[in-house]
Amino acid sequence: PKPRPGKLRTTFRWIWRLTYLSVLGTLGYTVYVIYDDRHPGEQFVPDPSKKTLVILGTGWGSVALLKNLDTENYNVVVVSPRNYFLFTPLLPSCTTGLIEHRSIMEPVRAILRHKKGAANYYEAEATNVDTERKVITVVDNSEVRGATNTTEIPYDMLVVGVGAENATFGIPGVREHSCFLKEIGDAQRIRKKIMDCVETAALRGQSEEEMNRLMHMVVVGGGPTGVEFAGELQDFFEEDIKKLVPGISPRFKVTLIEALPNVLPSFSKQLIDYTENTLREEKIDIMTKTMVKNVTNNTVEAEISKPDGTKERVEIPYGLLVWATGNAVRPIVKDMMARIPAQKDSRRGLAVNEYLVVQGARDVWAIGDCAVAGYAPTAQVASQEGSFLARLFNNMAKTESLESRIHDLSSKMNLKAGNSADDAHEIELLEKQLRRIKDVKPFRYSHQGSLAYIGSEKAVADVSWWNGNLATGGSMTYLFWRSAYLSMCFSSRNRVLVILDWLKSKAFGRDISRE
Ligand code: FAD
Ligand code: NAI
């Protein structure tokens, strides 16, 4: 008789079969996803019997709404000057070329073409919202203009998700001389300027003083944007610039300026200390309690608050200046706040109620950085608000269709008595369903935690853990940071591109060519 295979061999055989099946399954699924992505269904045309839902913006809030909205119920119109969604958490990595900018962009048309309903997109900026006439005015400010570049779009329902602009607090010279870090264009500008400073500093005959100035990279604002950028910049220098342009390397210096007593003020004390120590180990100069007051084309003028209460004015020469001091209200939002009387006390954006309805306006909702709902201006908040509105609108549409069905059945019952028992039963079921759907709870933000990259393959995380909070920092946290952001990327395409960029930079270094 044939000997029976040992237990270990059988186990290995099963493991092999299961691995084989899961690889096959993953491959099959990947092929299906790619096929589905490349073959969108039919293009739907707007249905005049449905309401027009206009969404302003293609950022975190608006895209989360679009992703979860059942577009069969509405004629959706998206208006934004940016025809793509931008995955902002990885934007600092684009400034050094660790990640290529297109890897974190997702075209909004690709998102809309997969929706089952009429969904249109216009590349334009909303310049006016007339809440009385329920009409918005939009302007195409792109480089290519047609005969028409401004038009009006009527709405039944309007969602404002236009985000925020960069705060400068009116400090002279900031807009003219510094780079912001909010959009893809900003990251490209910074990437180009870093290399321009390096190459100009390396030019034969450059004076010592000028070399030192050009190699001084100043970051204003010690919030998460400033800290992450400073970390990425120092990595770029250590891993690539130093090796390729060794002549200027002793002069390279990153300075982070913060007005408050410490950086990352929204993180826990333990993580603030860890971050400051790590940044100092990386040789990043941290200047806290230092408020920038004026900016010229090659110097920053700042005021340092000393421990004895006195103030000292300093002048800091720079080659590159990155300004990351948080958010300010966009003009369109300011304009709406000025026109709606119920918004007169609001300062930092459109005041909304617990269902994200703009106070004092009919059929207008606001989400994300342009809305004041009592939460921090983060992607997490914006995206949860967008998903909440999608659920609310899906429910509203279901409610309307159930109410109209109940109305039809009731009128039928009044006309003929034959089917009345069946109809009465259906009405009862529909009313039950209606009560359940109508019971929508108000928006509640669920904080999943805060993460920030701090350079030299280290990150800090303040995450919710069971019923408490877990504060951690270091290399393992960095792996968690990478996997968390990878999983949050918009599409599989983005995920694959980001992984390839990371591998490419590890193997060949960042590309230092100046485009
Ligand atoms: P946005 O995402 O800014 O989108 C606004 C949209 O409105 C854009 O499409 C814009 O083009 C459009 N728009 C502007 N004006 C008009 C107009 N007049 N008419 C029509 N459309 C208009 N948050 C986190 O939680 N975690 C992070 O790790 C994180 N990292 C970040 C890194 C950086 C570098 C930056 C800058 C921010 C980061 N944030 C992070 C914050 C986060 O990106 C924002 O809170 C989030 O983008 C807000 O989403 P939003 O939809 O309100 O606005
Ligand atoms: P921020 O508002 O968080 O920080 C700006 C910092 O600039 C403040 O600490 C402020 O004191 C300082 N500042 C202001 N004026 C100054 C001056 N004149 N001189 C010196 N310092 C000055 O802004 P940031 O970092 O752009 O973030 C904006 C929002 O996006 C925040 O809500 C943040 O939480 C979120 N974000 C989150 C990230 C993450 O979770 N990893 C990454 C980036 C942004």
Side-chain angles (χ1 to χ4, degrees):
K2 222 168 132 189
R4 286 176 61 197
K7 245 186 178 168
L8 200 66
R9 242 169 88 193
T10 318
T11 315
F12 272 125
R13 238 181 234 170
W14 271 108
I15 291 177
W16 163 243
R17 277 179 200 154
L18 285 176
T19 315
Y20 181 72
L21 279 177
S22 51
V23 168
L24 216 65
T26 313
L27 269 177
Y29 179 72
T30 311
V31 170
Y32 163 75
V33 167
I34 293 173
Y35 179 85
D36 187 52
D37 213 45
R38 302 282 290 133
H39 298 84
E42 59 176 302
Q43 166 104 58
F44 295 89
V45 285
D47 174 349
S49 68
K50 291 178 186 168
K51 286 188 173 168
T52 299
L53 167 62
V54 174
I55 302 172
L56 302 184
T58 45
W60 277 94
S62 304
V63 164
L65 162 62
L66 275 173
K67 209 173 172 180
N68 297 292
L69 182 73
D70 190 350
T71 43
E72 274 175 286
N73 300 319
Y74 300 97
N75 297 318
V76 176
V77 179
V78 179
V79 177
S80 174
R82 197 175 80 189
N83 79 346
Y84 56 88
F85 165 71
L86 172 63
F87 187 76
T88 45
L90 292 180
L91 190 61
S93 303
C94 295
T95 59
T96 62
L98 179 72
I99 290 178
E100 291 298 337
H101 60 275
R102 287 203 177 264
S103 307
I104 57 165
M105 293 157 67
E106 187 68 18
V108 68
R109 288 197 181 272
I111 304 170
L112 294 180
R113 276 296 275 122
H114 286 85
K115 298 302 291 187
K116 298 204 166 19
N120 252 321
Y121 167 71
Y122 298 117
E123 190 187 84
E125 202 174 303
T127 50
N128 185 41
V129 176
D130 187 333
T131 50
E132 291 302 313
R133 284 170 57 226
K134 295 182 93 171
V135 164
I136 61 163
T137 308
V138 306
V139 178
D140 172 10
N141 279 328
S142 63
E143 277 173 30
V144 177
R145 307 270 175 91
T148 304
N149 74 330
T150 175
T151 186
E152 286 195 336
I153 302 173
Y155 66 82
D156 296 304
M157 295 153 77
L158 174 71
V159 177
V160 187
V162 297
E165 59 175 35
N166 296 293
T168 64
F169 306 102
I171 297 171
V174 175
R175 285 209 184 276
E176 297 84 333
H177 306 298
S178 58
C179 299
F180 296 113
L181 182 49
K182 203 167 186 61
E183 299 290 344
I184 283 293
D186 300 332
Q188 286 174 305
R189 214 164 298 127
I190 293 174
R191 185 173 175 184
K192 202 168 162 181
K193 193 136 188 216
I194 297 170
M195 284 323 296
D196 207 356
C197 285
V198 169
E199 299 296 1
T200 310
L203 185 70
R204 190 175 166 185
Q206 203 67 266
S207 71
E208 296 266 317
E209 192 188 354
E210 196 58 353
M211 279 166 101
N212 288 339
R213 178 185 72 80
L214 288 162
M215 295 308 288
H216 191 199
M217 314 277 156
V218 174
V219 185
V220 182
T225 305
V227 167
E228 290 194 331
F229 171 67
E232 293 277 359
L233 187 54
Q234 190 67 33
D235 285 358
F236 184 25
F237 170 69
E238 293 294 339
E239 290 164 20
D240 297 292
I241 299 178
K242 204 170 163 180
K243 291 176 194 156
L244 296 170
V245 202
I248 44 95
S249 68
R251 300 172 195 277
F252 188 90
K253 192 168 113 185
V254 178
T255 300
L256 181 61
I257 303 180
E258 166 57 51
L260 296 176
N262 48 261
V263 300
L264 291 187
S266 58
F267 282 66
S268 60
K269 170 87 179 74
Q270 176 197 346
L271 290 183
I272 289 172
D273 292 345
Y274 179 79
T275 302
E276 291 189 348
N277 290 338
T278 309
L279 293 180
R280 283 195 185 103
E281 275 166 26
E282 288 166 13
K283 300 194 201 82
I284 294 174
D285 214 356
I286 308 174
M287 292 176 74
T288 49
K289 293 190 185 168
T290 307
M291 170 89 83
V292 173
K293 297 279 187 181
N294 189 37
V295 173
T296 71
N297 64 342
N298 49 22
T299 57
V300 159
E301 287 161 33
E303 198 172 73
I304 305 175
S305 303
K306 302 242 171 161
D308 61 7
T310 58
K311 293 200 191 299
E312 184 195 351
R313 193 100 177 179
V314 289
E315 204 169 86
I316 307 159
Y318 70 85
L320 168 78
L321 173 64
V322 172
W323 193 266
T325 61
N327 292 345
V329 181
R330 282 202 193 277
I332 172 107
V333 176
K334 258 190 213 155
D335 187 56
M336 286 178 78
M337 285 158 61
R339 282 171 187 225
I340 303 170
Q343 296 284 334
K344 75 174 189 326
D345 295 328
S346 192
R347 292 283 162 273
R348 284 189 288 135
L350 290 164
V352 292
N353 72 11
E354 52 192 357
Y355 289 91
L356 309 179
V357 175
V358 173
Q359 285 175 1
R362 202 163 36 96
D363 297 326
V364 184
W365 288 259
I367 49 178
D369 287 2
C370 67
V372 179
Y375 307 108
T378 65
Q380 259 189 83
V381 171
S383 127
Q384 287 185 28
E385 288 178 342
S387 306
F388 169 83
L389 271 200
R391 282 196 304 278
L392 187 77
F393 293 168
N394 292 345
N395 268 358
M396 279 162 65
K398 266 190 222 152
T399 309
E400 273 171 29
S401 103
L402 285 176
E403 276 171 351
S404 105
R405 175 85 184 127
I406 292 171
H407 179 263
D408 286 353
L409 284 173
S410 312
S411 351
K412 209 167 88 184
M413 273 172 75
N414 289 343
L415 288 178
K416 50 177 198 167
N419 293 336
S420 57
D422 283 352
D423 289 348
H425 181 61
E426 191 177 345
I427 291 177
E428 200 180 309
L429 288 178
L430 289 173
E431 277 176 344
K432 227 182 195 172
Q433 216 177 327
L434 192 63
R435 274 196 298 278
R436 223 180 32 240
I437 289 172
K438 272 189 166 171
D439 183 29
V440 184
K441 301 271 180 297
F443 174 72
R444 286 276 168 277
Y445 169 61
S446 147
H447 186 59
Q448 305 299 306
S450 307
L451 286 168
Y453 181 61
I454 57 170
S456 63
E457 305 204 335
K458 288 185 181 135
V460 286
D462 244 340
V463 286
S464 311
W465 189 259
W466 296 109
N467 284 335
N469 221 47
L470 179 73
T472 140
S475 303
M476 289 309 286
T477 315
Y478 167 67
L479 293 179
F480 174 65
W481 175 87
R482 273 202 163 180
S483 45
Y485 283 152
L486 199 58
S487 71
M488 282 161 60
C489 279
F490 185 86
S491 62
S492 311
R493 187 187 69 93
N494 287 152
R495 245 164 255 139
V496 171
L497 292 178
V498 167
I499 293 175
L500 290 178
D501 286 343
W502 279 336
L503 292 175
K504 202 173 68 186
S505 305
K506 197 84 195 159
F508 307 110
R510 296 165 182 83
D511 183 348
I512 66 158
S513 352
R514 186 170 75 84
E515 288 169 68

